[in-house]
């Protein structure tokens, strides 16, 4: 799995470099650099505005006693979009713009919820929790025996420390 992330990371960097070089060749290096910075600043502003809307919707949903799952999913995609806006490049900015559009976030969120429901419904049910079960009986010892055992334990700890 880490190898897949490494390959994806290197591929994205390579593709961003190629696209930036093509754009810089077309409009000039300085203009391409300014455009990259402008998209990052504008994107973060858009993400901030959308994030405030999502937080207000989440507050209303919680106040009504409903589950804020949709708002949490919108927040997740906004966080991913914000991360992509901070990465320099036109490809990541394009992906971030897609995640910043509310209907696309809703569509992707619905897909995630449906996939989660399918996985949960297909999961076999078991009454066994998978933990260790110890079966046994116990009796309370009379108070005198307990005090004697505590004294012996304290004496043993003192001997172990020495």
């Amino acid at each position: 799995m880490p190898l897949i992330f490494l390959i994806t990371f290197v591929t994205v960097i390579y593709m961003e470099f190629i696209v930036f070089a093509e754009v810089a060749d077309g409009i000039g290096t300085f203009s391409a650099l300014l455009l990259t910075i402008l998209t990052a600043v504008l994107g973060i502003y858009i993400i901030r505005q959308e994030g405030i809307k999502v937080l207000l919707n989440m507050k209303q949903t919680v106040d009504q006693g409903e589950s804020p799952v949709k708002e949490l999913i919108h927040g997740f995609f906004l966080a991913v979009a914000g991360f992509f806006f901070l990465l320099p490049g036109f490809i990541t900015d394009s992906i971030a713009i897609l995640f910043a559009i509310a209907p696309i976030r809703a569509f992707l969120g619905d897909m995630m919820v449906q996939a989660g429901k399918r996985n949960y419904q297909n999961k076999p049910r078991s009454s066994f929790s998978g933990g260790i079960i110890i079966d046994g009986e116990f009796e309370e010892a009379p108070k005198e025996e307990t005090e004697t055992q505590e004294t012996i334990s304290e004496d043993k700890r003192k001997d172990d420390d020495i």
Side-chain angles (χ1 to χ4, degrees):
M1 193 64 134
L3 184 62
I4 292 172
F5 287 123
L6 179 64
I7 291 171
T8 303
F9 182 72
V10 171
T11 303
V12 167
I13 291 174
Y14 178 73
M15 290 171 41
E16 288 286 8
F17 179 75
I18 296 296
V19 170
F20 184 83
E22 289 295 320
V23 171
D25 190 39
I27 65 172
T29 304
F30 186 71
S31 298
L33 187 60
L34 282 178
L35 186 60
T36 302
I37 294 170
L38 179 68
T39 57
V41 171
L42 186 63
I44 294 300
Y45 175 77
I46 292 170
I47 295 300
R48 183 172 180 255
Q49 297 303 319
E50 288 292 314
I52 291 170
K53 288 180 190 176
V54 167
L55 285 175
L56 291 175
N57 288 342
M58 186 182 304
K59 183 180 180 332
Q60 289 175 348
T61 304
V62 170
D63 287 345
Q64 294 172 356
E66 298 175 7
S67 175
V69 172
K70 288 185 180 182
E71 287 77 12
L72 289 172
I73 291 172
H74 279 277
F76 169 74
F77 282 121
L78 284 174
V80 171
F83 175 72
F84 281 164
F85 271 127
L86 289 176
L87 295 175
F90 296 109
I91 296 172
T92 52
D93 287 350
S94 300
I95 294 169
I97 288 170
L98 291 176
F99 284 155
I101 299 171
I104 293 175
R105 287 195 315 261
F107 174 74
L108 292 173
D110 289 341
M111 285 177 45
M112 284 177 59
V113 168
Q114 293 302 323
K117 284 180 181 178
R118 275 194 310 272
N119 287 341
Y120 180 74
Q121 289 171 349
N122 294 337
K123 189 175 181 180
R125 307 264 192 272
S126 173
S127 60
F128 180 65
S129 66
I132 298 173
I133 298 175
I134 300 174
D135 189 17
E137 296 179 10
F138 74 96
E139 278 183 26
E140 284 193 34
K143 192 169 187 158
E144 293 174 4
E145 288 181 20
T146 307
E147 290 174 359
T148 306
Q149 289 174 354
E150 288 176 1
T151 306
I152 292 171
S153 296
E154 287 177 12
D155 292 341
K156 186 175 181 181
R157 276 190 228 131
K158 289 178 184 176
D159 291 342
D160 289 342
D161 289 341
I162 295 177

